[in-house]
């Protein structure tokens, strides 16, 4: 009998010739388990998601062992939910896409092993997707007319990059953080204000009512023109809070949150727009959990459009971790002739730019 790999090569080639595919996608790199169905990289047919945030919040951050176990429990019911949402059976799906890195190794392995089993049992091609490329690709679902080239700011809990998306699947790193990710800085500063994990969304909400000129935080300098650094800023903000408290001064949390948010957003927007304008880009997009930040969304749009750029911002639910974005990225990988074997492994430190 012909091997699974050989059969899948033929199936994948047929899909490439057709230029169309319904993809079942799986995401389990951190604390969200998600299964989605995406048509032709653009149409969201189903988006099933189970968040573990409430459980990890008890510990003040993601506990990897708990994350893996919860993925195992959540994943089968999510498959049923996603197929039901899409009104499809497993046989109607053309291929299975899965996040294989970067992320927590145990969490990734749950999704990778499960996807391999599913692809083999259902006789479908398997596609390996980089989580960061997934975030960028959320824009293809959110904006059906968006095509490369464009410049994209990817800011999440673990990554902050400015990339030039030259073509589908072809990325050039223009700049990024030299230390902490933007989401990480939000989460750590939120903790100082007593905001539970993950602090980003709650700090954002609190900041809405605050005065963003109330406190002054340093704007960190970086070597690279499009790089940013959040570690120094985070430490300065945390030290300043401790100092004020030691002097018996109460910190006004909403003003503190607003001032910090303003500082981070200004940095992200300035560098992204500079990178876009200098490289002659006409379109700019944003992706990743931090792209759910209300001020970042508003400022990128306002300042980007004022600079003559077309600005693309996905809805918040496609900015934070989900499997729709994995299905979108997987489609373009499949169309580029890529396919994963059953020896696919989870790569926790996977990079997008070969450095
Ligand atoms: O992309 P994501 O869901 O997971 C990773 O791949 O890391 O990003 C999660 C990060 C967390 O640090 C979270 O605090 C941050 O995104 N985040 C926000 C907001 N929503 C999520 N940060 C600032 N403002 C928000 N509204
Ligand atoms: Zn993410």
């Amino acid at each position: 009998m012909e091997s699974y790999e050989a059969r899948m090569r033929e199936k994948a080639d047929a899909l490439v010739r057709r230029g169309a595919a319904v993809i079942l996608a799986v995401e389990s790199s951190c604390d969200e388990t998600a299964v989605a169905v995406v048509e032709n990289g653009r149409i969201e047919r189903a988006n099933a998601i189970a968040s573990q945030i409430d459980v990890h919040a008890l510990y003040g951050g993601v506990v990897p062992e708990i994350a893996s176990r919860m993925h195992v429990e959540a994943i089968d019911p999510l498959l049923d939910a996603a197929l039901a949402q899409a009104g499809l059976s497993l046989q109607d799906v053309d291929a299975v896409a899965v996040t294989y890195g970067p992320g927590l190794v145990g969490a990734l392995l749950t999704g990778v092993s499960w996807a391999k089993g599913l692809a083999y049992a259902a006789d479908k091609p398997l596609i390996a997707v980089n989580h960061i490329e997934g975030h960028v690709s959320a824009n293809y679902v959110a904006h059906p007319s968006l095509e490369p080239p464009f410049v994209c700011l990817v800011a999440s809990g673990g990554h902050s990059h400015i990339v030039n998306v030259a073509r589908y699947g072809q990325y050039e790193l223009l700049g990024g953080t030299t230390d902490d990710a933007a989401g990480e800085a939000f989460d750590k500063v939120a903790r100082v204000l007593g905001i539970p994990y993950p602090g980003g969304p709650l700090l954002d909400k609190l900041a809405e009512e605050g005065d963003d000129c109330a406190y002054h935080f340093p704007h960190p300098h970086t070597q690279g023109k499009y790089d940013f650094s959040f570690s120094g800023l985070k430490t300065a903000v945390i030290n300043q809070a401790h100092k004020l408290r030691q002097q018996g001064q109460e910190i006004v949390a909403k003003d503190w949150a607003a001032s910090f948010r303003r500082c981070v957003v200004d940095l992200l927007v300035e560098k992204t727009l500079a990178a876009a304008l200098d490289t002659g880009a006409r379109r700019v997009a944003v992706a990743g959990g931090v792209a759910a930040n209300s001020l970042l969304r508003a400022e990128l749009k306002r300042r980007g459009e004022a600079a003559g750029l077309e600005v693309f911002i996905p809805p918040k639910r496609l900015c934070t971790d989900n499997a729709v974005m994995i299905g979108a990225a997987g489609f373009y990988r499949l169309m580029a002739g890529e396919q994963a074997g059953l020896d696919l492994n989870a790569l926790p430190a996977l990079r997008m730019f070969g450095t």
Side-chain angles (χ1 to χ4, degrees):
M1 194 179 131
E2 205 183 3
S3 73
Y4 165 82
E5 263 84 11
R7 263 197 327 279
M8 291 313 109
R9 188 68 271 154
E10 281 169 30
K11 280 198 180 186
D13 287 347
L15 292 170
V16 175
R17 281 196 299 276
R18 204 170 85 194
V22 173
I23 297 194
L24 183 98
V26 190
E27 156 63 38
S28 72
S29 66
C30 191
D31 56 358
E32 249 103 32
T33 327
V35 179
V37 179
V38 179
E39 197 174 329
N40 302 340
R42 296 282 179 168
I43 304 164
E44 176 181 339
R45 299 278 304 264
N47 181 8
I49 183 156
S51 174
Q52 308 174 0
I53 282 177
D54 291 352
V55 175
H56 297 295
L58 301 173
Y59 303 91
V62 178
V63 183
E65 180 62 25
I66 295 178
S68 311
R69 285 166 190 263
M70 290 189 76
H71 286 311
V72 173
E73 284 169 19
I75 205 158
D76 278 332
L78 286 173
L79 170 65
D80 295 341
L83 289 173
Q85 265 182 43
L88 298 175
S89 76
L90 192 52
Q91 285 317 315
D92 300 323
V93 163
D94 294 311
V96 177
V98 63
T99 306
Y100 74 116
L104 301 168
V105 67
L108 288 165
L109 269 175
T110 327
V112 167
S113 316
W114 184 87
K116 285 201 274 193
L118 186 76
Y120 185 72
D123 219 34
K124 308 288 179 189
L126 180 68
I127 312 158
V129 174
N130 180 312
H131 181 81
I132 308 299
E133 179 172 29
H135 275 302
V136 173
S137 306
N139 279 287
Y140 297 136
V141 177
H143 315 290
S145 66
L146 176 65
E147 306 242 9
F150 59 95
V151 164
C152 188
L153 166 69
V154 197
S156 72
H159 302 269
S160 297
H161 305 297
I162 300 173
V163 295
N164 178 29
V165 185
R167 294 157 176 257
Y168 289 108
Q170 217 181 84
Y171 306 90
E172 181 197 351
L173 182 64
L174 300 175
T177 182
T178 53
D179 39 60
D180 290 355
E184 200 178 342
F186 268 111
D187 294 341
K188 287 182 178 161
V189 167
R191 194 190 280 216
V192 177
L193 295 176
I195 297 172
Y197 175 86
L202 292 174
L203 187 147
D204 187 20
K205 220 166 148 192
L206 189 63
E208 288 293 300
E209 298 148 25
D211 171 7
D212 62 4
C213 297
Y215 296 98
H216 292 283
F217 300 131
H219 258 222
H221 292 284
T222 46
Q223 289 267 306
K225 199 172 170 199
Y226 314 125
D227 287 341
F228 19 76
S229 156
F230 294 113
S231 168
L233 171 64
K234 176 201 71 191
T235 309
V237 169
I238 292 171
N239 287 346
Q240 207 173 314
H242 289 321
K243 213 164 125 196
L244 288 176
R245 281 181 179 141
Q246 274 165 5
Q247 292 167 355
Q249 294 188 43
E250 259 317 300
I251 291 167
V252 184
K254 59 180 199 251
D255 292 346
W256 196 268
S259 305
F260 175 72
R261 181 179 71 162
R262 165 62 63 188
C263 194
V264 173
V265 166
D266 278 349
L267 272 173
L268 291 173
V269 172
E270 268 161 32
K271 302 279 176 154
T272 305
L273 293 183
L277 293 170
D278 290 353
T279 50
R282 298 204 336 264
R283 307 180 192 103
V284 66
V286 67
V290 178
N293 187 274
S294 329
L295 185 68
L296 176 61
R297 301 167 73 85
E299 286 293 279
L300 192 69
K301 186 163 170 55
R302 186 179 67 79
R303 289 161 64 177
E305 287 179 356
L309 295 162
E310 213 180 335
V311 180
F312 296 87
I313 301 174
K316 291 185 184 186
R317 64 190 179 80
L318 294 181
C319 291
T320 46
D321 287 351
N322 65 86
V324 173
M325 65 188 203
I326 304 303
F331 174 78
Y332 290 104
R333 288 277 157 201
L334 177 71
M335 289 300 131
E338 286 185 26
Q339 204 188 314
L342 293 175
D343 57 352
L344 177 66
N345 200 359
L347 298 179
L350 178 67
R351 285 169 181 255
M352 212 166 137
F353 312 102
T355 48

